[in-house]
Each structure stands twice: as C-alpha cells, then as structure tokens.
Amino acid sequence: MGKISFSLILALAVVTVGTTSEKKCVLSGMWKNELHSLMEIHDVNDEGEFSGEYLTSVTATSNCIRRSPLKGAQHDVERRAQPTFGFTVNWEPFSNSTTIFVGQCFLDEKGKEILETVWLLREQVDSPGEDWKATRVGTNIFTRKRNAMRGKILQDHSPPCEAPAPTALGTRPPAPRLPSPPRL
Ligand code: BTN
C-alpha cells in the first residue's frame, strides 16, 4: 500500500474515532432533582422516545406518594451532544394531576450531565371558573444518580402506602405539600 493511501486511511480512522467518542448527554438512567425526587428513564429508542418512572418527594395532595409512569421524547439522539427533550408524568397512581417537563440535557465543563427543566403541573378542578388556579409552574435541575440498580431504587424508596405505620397520635404524618399558588 502506498504511503499516501496509508496516510488517508489513518486520517479517516482518527476522524471517525474522534467523532464517535465525543461525549453525549444521554437521558437513560437514574436522576435526582433538588427536591430529592427520583426518576428512572429506560432506554431511549432510535426515534428518541422513552418511558420511565418518577418518584416525587413532594405532592400537592394529601395522598400517599406512589411511583408514577412517564413518557417522553428526546431530540436527535445520534447527532446532538446536548439534546432537548420533553416528557409527561401521569400521577394517576395517587393524584389526578399531570405534569409536563421540557428541558435540555447539558454537559458541564467536567463532562457531568445536568438536566435543566421547566415544568407545568395541571391539577383537576371542578369547573372552568376554577381554571385560573389549576396550573403551577416551576423549574427542576436533575443530576445523575450513580450506581443505581435498574428498577430497584425507586421501588425501595417508595413509601409503604397500604399499611400506615402507627405514630404517637395514631396517624402517619402527612406527605410534604407543594407551596400554594399565590392568591390573586
Ligand atoms: C401532585 O401532587 O398532584 C402530583 C405530584 C407533583 C409533583 C411535582 S411535579 C413538579 C415538581 N417536581 C417534582 O419532583 N415534584 C413536583
């Protein structure tokens, strides 16, 4: 093989390795936010779609918190290092509300992944006249929770809803509540 052909192949190999080894922010895995809520995102498919589970640490209800299903989509899985994404959490297991999150998966200067998100939480109200108070908005920042065994952590952290542990007063303490929206 001539010197030129060999150099060309070598250059191509270097470019290929450089391109494929570029670190990308991947949504799959276990995440924790600043409220100490946990979420597990399962594998992202070729279309960028994913599902998972969310275990919130807070609730606007007085119900016992349960793991809740989530579904979403991530932008351009292959091409983008810091993709945007969106997902919906259906709180049906304990609440009639729905939350949508939109955000971007960032890599910081050390290559650490951070999910910067904005959410809208819609609660069910009885009539259009109450619509004005039905939506809360906020932000959450998620960081990756390492060494998490798939499917196990959320299960282990879920509160035991069925058998309330008796306390001195005979009842369990209420779940932490979200702050109420400002009064108009
Ligand atoms: C409800 O209380 O009706 C359902 C749970 C809502 C939890 C919200 S969603 C946005 C925020 N981020 C969290 O991790 N938990 C709260």
Side-chain angles (χ1 to χ4, degrees), residues 30-32 38-40 53 55 67 145-159:
M30 184 72 71
W31 300 88
K32 186 176 192 167
L38 293 171
M39 85 172 160
E40 180 170 7
E53 283 188 304
L55 182 61
R67 283 180 289 155
K145 196 168 153 58
R146 299 246 163 241
N147 303 324
M149 281 163 62
R150 192 177 166 147
K152 190 84 175 71
I153 297 287
L154 259 59
Q155 198 179 319
D156 288 353
H157 283 73
S158 299

Side-chain angles (χ1 to χ4, degrees), residues 33 35 37 54 56-61 91 94-97 99 101 119 121 140 142 178:
N33 70 20
L35 298 170
S37 295
Y54 202 109
T56 180
S57 59
V58 292
T59 176
T61 72
W91 305 108
F94 69 96
S95 163
N96 50 27
S97 304
T99 302
F101 288 81
W119 52 261
L121 168 62
N140 279 145
F142 294 83
L178 286 175

Side-chain angles (χ1 to χ4, degrees), residues 21 23 28 58 88 99 103 105 109 124 158 169 176 184:
S21 66
K23 185 159 169 115
S28 306
V58 292
T88 305
T99 302
C105 191
E109 60 287 347
Q124 187 181 306
S158 299
L169 294 172
L184 297 179

